[in-house]
Amino acid sequence: MSEQNMAQGAAPAESTLVLEAALTPPDSGSSAWDNPLRDPRDRRLPRIAGPSGLVIFGVTGDLSRKKLMPAVYDLANRGLLPPGFSLVGFARRDWADQDFAQVVHDAVREHARTPFREEVWQQLVEGMRFIPGDFDDDTAFKQLKSAVDELDASRGTSGNYAFYLSVPPKFFPKVVQQLKKHGLADAPEGSWRRAVIEKPFGHDLASARELNRIVHEVFEPDQVFRIDHYLGKETVQNILALRFANQMYEPIWNRSFVDHVQITMAEDIGIGGRAGYYDGIGAARDVIQNHLLQLMALTAMEEPIAFDAGSLVTEKMKVLKSVKLPEDLGAHTVRGQYAAAWQGGEKVRGYLQEEGIDPASTTDTYAAIKLEVDNRRWAGVPFYLRTGKRLGRRVTEIAVVFQRAPHSPFDTTATEELGQNAIVIRVQPDEGMTVRFGSKVPGTSMEIRDVTMDFAYGESFTESSPEAYERLILDVLLGDANLFPRTEEVEESWRILDPIEEYWATHGKPAQYASGSWGPGEADEMLARDGRSWRRP
Ligand code: BG6
């Protein structure tokens, strides 16, 4: 029985039947899948990928080693991949299949979430192939085609392949054209082909449109899966559960009760070895354009008519389209750059001293912006979004901060220490939710102070959360597009960010902030001007 079903305490007889049905992949056409006991909407059952393979371009990169390879192993270890699953690496390295397998092995040993099991590894390794070559090397793509055909025959992958482009966007056109040219983009009858694309989806609206155009010349919209790994995080998906599976939050989730919303994604690390990627991109393009605007859309959207990709995108798009920028971008946006300082007992370099960074760079490593969602539910409620590298600690959270009670029968002295009520969704690292409200301090006087009530994933559930990439790779193999932003969302998000970036490009430089602090003082002033302050998570 799966961990999930055990936790649900399903009755043994029925669960055996249900599990049999669940273990038979939908693509197999088996009648067990049509088991009448199985409600196709029952998402508690383990969702297992049907016969398929994954081809990773850019397989020697950091993302592949730290996230993709371990995620594939973790999925296999959890029994969520088909027995013949195949993994093909493509890169400019003079490797044989065994060398590639060794790299995957080391990556799994170092980064996998679940324990290493030799039998799982042995099954996986039999389906590993490596194709050495450049993206414009026709011979390499011919070899890839042969590898896919051979795996179809030897491992039963049934022609079902996802192509994961873990490469800089400048290579997208070449790779998709090569896939097309060598007959890899077209699915044979009864099978599927999908393209998985990593961010950044462009640099601005114009380049995003161009990228989308190129990709859609080869792949249909429903074949393209754009990764925003924040959507794969359990806590992010829980925003929808919290809001729409309960009765008690929605009635107050609007301008009549909410004072403002703060969305924070803080990192304590610097840019590490990513100078080449990061410089010229900066914090706002790197994470506000995608992760933070997605978090905002999920927080602000109306209830979707169903939990499916089309309904979700409809509601998220309404939010993104309603986003209004402040007129005075100078007063309501802030960007910063981390400066050398002591952080956690270590003297760290400033951004401008990082290896590979132009000492005159004006790239932002911190960004804070104020947005409004101009609709009936949210009119007048500011959404403050901030992110930064080398901040005080790693934390991502959404804080919905409520207005003060309209009237209080207590003395003002009794409520001096009472703040504003808040619901805080803790995305990471301490996944859960906090509700903050006022409570009487024990004693003879009527003194009221803030207290918190906590829900922690770790305490309420026995199973640990899968990594975002596990969930998203599985969804790609299942063809489930719920957690993938669509073209129009990506473009709409650039529409929001472009004017801010243009303003910054022509107005001064980022403010410096000490590494280990909570960002530039200008960001505190930005909120103080509105009579508010940032949370110190
Ligand atoms: C990525 C950004 O999308 O998200 C990185 O490119 C950032 O700069 C990372 O460090 C953070 O992801 P997580 O899951 O660690 O919060």
Side-chain angles (χ1 to χ4, degrees):
M1 203 188 289
S2 76
E3 261 180 40
Q4 237 174 346
N5 278 346
M6 276 198 278
Q8 307 289 341
E14 183 178 322
S15 67
T16 312
L17 277 169
V18 169
L19 184 63
E20 266 171 27
L23 286 173
T24 311
D27 296 358
S28 73
S30 157
S31 59
W33 188 256
D34 305 324
N35 186 324
L37 283 177
R38 183 185 179 279
D39 179 344
R41 289 165 308 175
D42 190 344
R43 317 266 302 193
R44 292 171 311 165
L45 297 171
R47 300 182 312 138
I48 298 168
S52 53
L54 179 69
V55 178
I56 305 180
F57 293 98
V59 78
T60 51
D62 240 28
L63 179 78
S64 169
R65 227 169 27 82
K66 291 190 180 151
K67 300 288 182 189
L68 309 184
M69 294 171 181
V72 166
Y73 169 81
D74 286 325
L75 286 171
N77 204 9
R78 290 163 65 208
L80 301 179
L81 295 183
F85 179 80
S86 301
L87 179 67
V88 182
F90 187 115
R92 212 169 43 184
R93 287 282 199 292
D94 194 15
W95 286 349
D97 292 345
Q98 303 88 289
D99 304 313
F100 173 56
Q102 186 59 46
V103 172
V104 182
H105 179 270
D106 296 349
V108 166
R109 275 309 198 37
E110 197 177 344
H111 300 290
R113 181 179 66 87
T114 61
F116 190 81
R117 289 199 294 144
E118 193 56 38
E119 64 276 24
V120 173
W121 173 253
Q122 282 311 329
Q123 191 166 28
L124 205 51
V125 84
E126 280 167 28
M128 281 185 204
R129 304 287 184 273
F130 184 75
I131 311 294
D134 272 335
F135 297 142
D136 44 20
D137 177 355
D138 282 330
T139 318
F141 277 84
K142 279 185 194 141
Q143 269 178 282
L144 177 59
K145 174 81 170 68
S146 313
V148 163
D149 292 343
E150 178 266 308
L151 288 166
D152 277 346
S154 65
R155 306 269 299 169
T157 39
S158 302
N160 298 324
Y161 276 87
F163 299 101
Y164 200 121
L165 276 66
S166 179
V167 298
K170 65 176 180 212
F171 296 119
F172 288 3
K174 191 78 228 172
V175 178
V176 295
Q177 279 152 15
Q178 288 284 48
L179 289 172
K180 173 90 188 151
K181 179 171 169 191
H182 294 276
L184 285 153
D186 304 315
E189 186 71 27
S191 58
W192 52 257
R193 294 287 153 102
R194 294 177 187 138
V196 187
I197 301 183
E198 266 293 337
K199 59 180 265 280
F201 312 119
H203 193 76
D204 52 19
L205 178 57
S207 57
R209 281 196 176 135
E210 180 57 12
L211 272 183
N212 285 329
R213 189 189 62 73
I214 290 164
V215 172
H216 291 308
E217 268 178 6
V218 173
F219 291 101
E220 294 297 322
D222 64 355
Q223 289 181 284
V224 180
F225 290 70
R226 287 178 189 76
I227 300 268
D228 181 324
H229 79 282
Y230 264 61
L231 296 183
K233 292 182 191 270
E234 287 285 327
T235 32
V236 172
Q237 293 161 50
N238 196 36
I239 300 170
L240 296 182
L242 170 83
R243 293 191 53 203
F244 302 127
N246 297 301
Q247 174 68 339
M248 59 198 236
Y249 302 112
E250 265 321 275
I252 53 169
W253 209 261
N254 56 51
R255 69 186 304 275
S256 306
F257 297 90
V258 175
D259 176 70
H260 71 280
V261 178
Q262 291 188 20
I263 303 183
T264 301
M265 175 187 167
E267 294 185 278
D268 52 2
I269 52 169
I271 56 155
R274 296 167 79 220
Y277 159 78
Y278 201 85
D279 204 37
I281 296 245
R285 287 193 177 99
D286 183 35
V287 301
I288 292 188
Q289 187 273 341
N290 37 74
H291 309 326
L292 266 60
L293 284 176
Q294 285 288 328
L295 293 183
M296 176 176 164
L298 294 172
T299 306
M301 72 186 218
E302 296 301 318
E303 182 177 329
I305 55 169
F307 188 62
D308 60 40
S311 311
L312 288 168
V313 78
T314 304
E315 297 308 332
K316 282 194 285 172
M317 273 303 282
K318 285 191 208 157
V319 174
L320 295 172
K321 282 191 160 181
S322 314
V323 167
K324 203 175 76 180
L325 292 179
E327 267 167 33
D328 184 355
L329 290 175
H332 300 292
T333 70
V334 169
R335 63 189 165 138
Q337 242 176 19
Y338 59 81
W342 285 94
Q343 186 183 17
E346 190 198 345
K347 181 87 199 235
V348 300
R349 277 189 279 196
Y351 180 71
L352 297 178
Q353 292 89 50
E354 295 277 18
E355 210 168 302
I357 298 296
D358 173 1
S361 171
T362 55
T363 298
D364 47 305
T365 63
Y366 175 99
I369 63 177
K370 174 184 177 179
L371 300 175
E372 278 189 27
V373 180
D374 204 13
N375 62 18
R376 180 171 281 248
R377 187 193 275 255
W378 295 114
V381 177
F383 283 71
Y384 299 105
L385 275 50
R386 67 172 163 166
T387 183
K389 300 228 181 252
R390 288 244 179 266
L391 295 183
R393 58 177 278 239
R394 175 175 183 254
V395 58
T396 300
E397 61 162 46
I398 300 162
V400 178
V401 182
F402 290 86
Q403 298 161 10
R404 289 183 188 278
H407 172 260
S408 163
F410 309 110
D411 288 347
T412 43
T413 49
T415 54
E416 256 168 11
E417 289 188 56
L418 177 63
Q420 283 167 276
N421 297 164
I423 294 177
V424 183
I425 299 168
R426 303 193 310 268
V427 174
Q428 63 186 27
D430 173 24
E431 289 96 348
M433 191 178 100
T434 302
V435 179
R436 188 180 69 191
F437 54 96
S439 173
K440 181 183 174 306
V441 179
T444 49
S445 69
M446 196 63 195
E447 190 190 341
I448 297 163
R449 209 184 278 166
D450 281 339
V451 292
T452 56
M453 213 157 64
D454 269 346
F455 147 64
Y457 266 82
E459 283 169 20
S460 300
F461 298 108
T462 48
E463 56 252 76
S464 64
S465 299
E467 275 282 324
Y469 279 96
E470 282 174 65
R471 171 64 196 258
L472 297 175
I473 291 175
L474 180 63
D475 282 358
V476 168
L477 300 176
L478 288 163
D480 181 344
N482 284 6
L483 302 179
F484 298 84
R486 291 245 185 113
T487 320
E488 54 265 44
E489 289 172 76
V490 171
E491 293 185 0
E492 201 55 43
S493 303
W494 283 119
R495 194 231 5 120
I496 296 168
L497 199 62
D498 273 2
I500 298 175
E501 291 286 356
E502 279 158 25
Y503 178 86
W504 286 347
T506 49
H507 289 79
K509 288 181 170 181
Q512 297 286 308
Y513 61 95
S515 293
S517 71
W518 279 98
E522 285 83 344
D524 294 329
E525 283 165 29
M526 171 181 139
L527 258 68
R529 236 174 261 129
D530 288 353
R532 302 189 174 98
S533 58
W534 291 109
R535 288 170 43 80
R536 287 280 178 265

